[in-house]
Amino acid sequence: MRYQYWDEKTETMPRGELEALQLDALRAAVARALGTTYNAPRLAAAGIRDSSDIRSLDDLRRLPFTTKHDLRESFPYGMLAVPKEEVVRLHASSGTTGVPTTIYFTRKDISRWSSNMARSIFASGCTSADVFQNMITYGIFTGGLGLHYGAEKVGMLVIPAGPGNTPRQFRMMRDYGTTVVHSTPSFLLHVQSKMIEEGIDRADLKLRKAFAGAEPYSEDTRRRIEALLDIDVYNSYGLSEMNGPGVAFECQAKDGMHLWEDGYLAEIVDPDTLEPVPDGTVGELVLTILCREASVILRYRTRDLTAFYTEPCACGRTHRRIHRIKGRTDDMLIINGVNVFPSQIEEVIMSTREAGNNYLIQVEKEGALDRLTVKTEVGPEIFMDDARPLNALRERIRHALQASISINPKVELVESGSLPVAEGKAKRVVDTRPRDV
Ligand code: DLL
């Protein structure tokens, strides 16, 4: 395979050079952070009063972590490192507590982010000849504008479709000859179900690639989307605190996501001890954004669980790869004392051929115990007069789940189209257990 690079010099830079570049950028980031009301006292408390206190990349570990809580505490401008008149845009993520975490961008920051996106899109093998239908939410969410700017930089013809309204999506795909789409994996699965329902002939479409991100999904889900839609799916990772998408992206080797290390310093730590884990071990990803002028965020605890690859990539890029996100430290369910990641359940559903494209995990209290129910959509053909195939499938899924998560769940098979579909991130878990306070 011939790999193409957007910025070959940076993407294939020898590690030594890359690290020298990171050290300079880290010093500059610390200098900017020292100019902010929120971070200056925190850095001083850690013994850092000047950027020259950072002598090597190891000194990163002297810096305090930043959490979602810090972003809320410093709201709205406590981490802003430039005068407000230099800020040209903000993005925010709403979260559950009401105070949004808000990130600001200067013109240069937007340009840098777009270049990272262009680099990611190009790594997947797309070119200016592609027609790109961006089926993800625009607005304050970073997914829409992030990919939009990057795709324009590559020179693709961009259709700012946004999510939802599948008949309109199919019309645009046909009318404009869309070759590449971007969406959440759950919406891609929904698009495929709708394609069948609406009698769309795949042969009438020119689709060849899809970018899928913004929520966790398993390799089984990727394989399912690729097989059903006859499309090449690339994993795209990012978070609004670190600009949004464009933090890490798969290249055509499709074996892990390259984390763009000229823009981010990445650590993987044990979420309990906060000590680094050995390469190849799963832990919490911690990110420092190196070159952003406006919002400076050092050592952000993403809550995302992943591991570094230890082997170099076949594509020749030197930027390290991270594994598919396994889940978040805060999405792990504890069911009757057993730890369960929603991703384990997803893997079982998506690798069951007869299971449909949508499912829901419910956890409730039943007396003193927790009760796990997994609702799975199945196609109409199985709801026949004879209940045996349905019962057999239910049992098969239950067994596979039990083997994977060591809990015996209740499995309910429901008709396809009956479970809720989200236009943004899918909400797969409904946990109604009373919370301890
Ligand atoms: O979801 C940014 C984004 C948009 C990424 C479009 C990719 C594509 P937030 O709304 O701040 O930003 O949510 C960030 O989503 O910490 C992960 O938990 C999760 N996430 C994002 N991408 C992936 C992925 C955007 N590829 C949070 N796999 C992150 C697994 C992902 N989880």
Side-chain angles (χ1 to χ4, degrees):
M1 152 121 43
R2 249 180 63 85
Y3 296 100
Q4 59 176 27
Y5 311 102
W6 178 254
D7 173 359
E8 183 165 359
K9 182 168 177 297
T10 314
E11 291 172 50
T12 61
M13 190 176 266
R15 294 290 312 173
E17 265 176 60
L18 189 54
E19 281 163 21
L21 193 138
Q22 286 182 318
L23 179 57
D24 283 347
L26 177 63
R27 285 199 185 110
V30 167
R32 285 194 300 276
L34 283 165
T36 66
T37 50
Y38 192 79
N39 275 318
R42 285 175 8 110
L43 286 167
I48 292 164
R49 289 187 174 75
D50 190 88
S51 60
S52 61
D53 290 329
I54 304 295
R55 286 186 200 88
S56 76
L57 282 179
D58 288 339
D59 284 331
L60 177 68
R61 291 183 57 194
R62 294 172 55 198
L63 308 180
F65 288 100
T66 304
T67 62
K68 197 109 187 156
H69 173 77
D70 293 308
L71 294 181
R72 297 213 169 99
E73 283 275 300
S74 62
F75 180 81
Y77 294 124
M79 286 196 201
L80 184 62
V82 296
K84 244 185 282 171
E85 47 278 28
E86 288 180 27
V87 176
V88 298
R89 197 196 296 169
L90 66 77
H91 281 281
S93 76
S94 50
T96 44
T97 66
V99 181
T101 53
T102 308
I103 304 299
Y104 304 93
F105 299 81
T106 64
R107 209 177 291 283
K108 251 201 188 142
D109 294 337
I110 296 284
S111 166
R112 218 170 208 290
W113 179 22
S114 312
S115 297
N116 271 358
M117 272 320 332
R119 187 195 287 184
S120 306
I121 291 169
F122 212 66
S124 75
C126 293
T127 69
S128 60
D130 279 299
V131 177
F132 176 57
Q133 191 161 321
N134 200 12
M135 306 192 296
I136 210 160
T137 310
Y138 274 71
I140 277 268
F141 176 62
T142 54
L145 287 174
L147 266 289
H148 184 109
Y149 272 54
E152 277 192 358
K153 207 161 211 167
V154 169
M156 297 159 105
L157 166 53
V158 183
I159 310 171
N165 197 342
T166 44
R168 186 166 138 264
Q169 302 282 7
F170 295 136
R171 212 175 316 126
M172 290 194 284
M173 285 177 193
R174 244 188 330 232
D175 290 350
Y176 303 118
T178 302
T179 54
V180 181
V181 289
H182 170 222
S183 166
T184 56
S186 49
F187 189 68
L188 283 175
L189 285 168
H190 176 65
V191 162
Q192 193 273 331
S193 304
K194 285 285 176 193
M195 222 174 205
I196 309 273
E197 221 178 285
E198 291 170 29
I200 305 291
D201 186 354
R202 173 67 179 84
D204 290 343
L205 306 178
K206 297 199 174 123
L207 296 180
R208 65 183 198 106
K209 286 178 197 283
F211 310 141
E215 64 188 16
Y217 62 115
S218 63
E219 197 55 45
D220 290 301
T221 298
R222 187 227 297 264
R223 275 200 285 270
R224 173 180 281 245
I225 299 171
E226 291 193 324
L228 293 177
L229 276 177
D230 187 18
I231 204 168
D232 201 13
V233 176
Y234 290 83
N235 196 0
S236 156
Y237 169 77
L239 56 160
S240 35
E241 295 80 355
M242 294 289 127
N243 287 350
V247 174
F249 212 92
E250 279 181 329
C251 67
Q252 282 183 284
K254 288 215 289 195
D255 186 19
M257 297 179 279
H258 289 281
L259 197 144
W260 302 124
E261 293 185 90
D262 56 322
Y264 301 94
L265 265 181
E267 304 165 79
I268 296 183
V269 302
D270 179 318
D272 296 322
T273 64
L274 300 180
E275 289 298 318
V277 296
D279 272 4
T281 310
V282 174
E284 179 181 344
L285 183 65
V286 172
L287 292 171
T288 297
I289 187 156
L290 287 173
C291 302
R292 194 165 54 198
E293 295 178 326
S295 292
V296 183
I297 301 184
L298 307 170
R299 302 193 86 197
Y300 183 64
R301 291 190 57 187
T302 65
R303 304 260 169 208
D304 292 323
L305 293 168
T306 185
F308 284 123
Y309 277 68
T310 49
E311 298 295 316
C313 185
C315 75
R317 288 180 179 81
T318 48
H319 299 237
R320 278 181 298 176
R321 287 166 299 153
I322 53 168
H323 281 268
R324 186 176 283 288
I325 306 295
K326 182 177 170 220
R328 292 175 55 82
T329 52
D330 45 10
D331 75 6
M332 188 182 75
L333 297 162
I334 304 182
I335 300 173
N336 295 325
V338 179
N339 296 350
V340 176
F341 280 102
S343 59
Q344 293 173 286
I345 297 176
E346 192 211 60
E347 271 169 30
V348 169
I349 305 296
M350 290 296 148
S351 60
T352 306
R353 198 176 41 83
E354 301 90 332
N357 284 344
N358 203 355
Y359 66 95
L360 188 71
I361 299 167
Q362 285 181 327
V363 195
E364 61 214 326
K365 264 282 180 235
E366 206 175 70
L369 291 178
D370 301 328
R371 185 81 179 120
L372 169 67
T373 306
V374 178
K375 291 190 174 172
T376 308
E377 287 189 359
V378 283
E381 64 285 352
I382 204 162
F383 289 99
M384 294 296 174
D385 299 339
D386 184 0
R388 274 173 300 185
L390 198 63
N391 291 339
L393 177 61
R394 189 187 303 118
E395 270 309 286
R396 190 140 53 81
I397 294 177
R398 196 182 59 73
H399 264 113
L401 284 170
Q402 192 169 14
S404 166
I405 60 179
S406 311
I407 286 179
N408 186 9
K410 190 169 154 204
V411 173
E412 284 178 22
L413 301 180
V414 300
E415 263 184 82
S416 77
S418 63
L419 293 175
V421 179
E423 285 194 351
K425 297 174 194 257
K427 193 167 171 355
R428 301 285 198 200
V429 181
V430 177
D431 188 344
T432 55
R433 290 174 296 179
R435 297 208 173 275
D436 296 335
V437 269

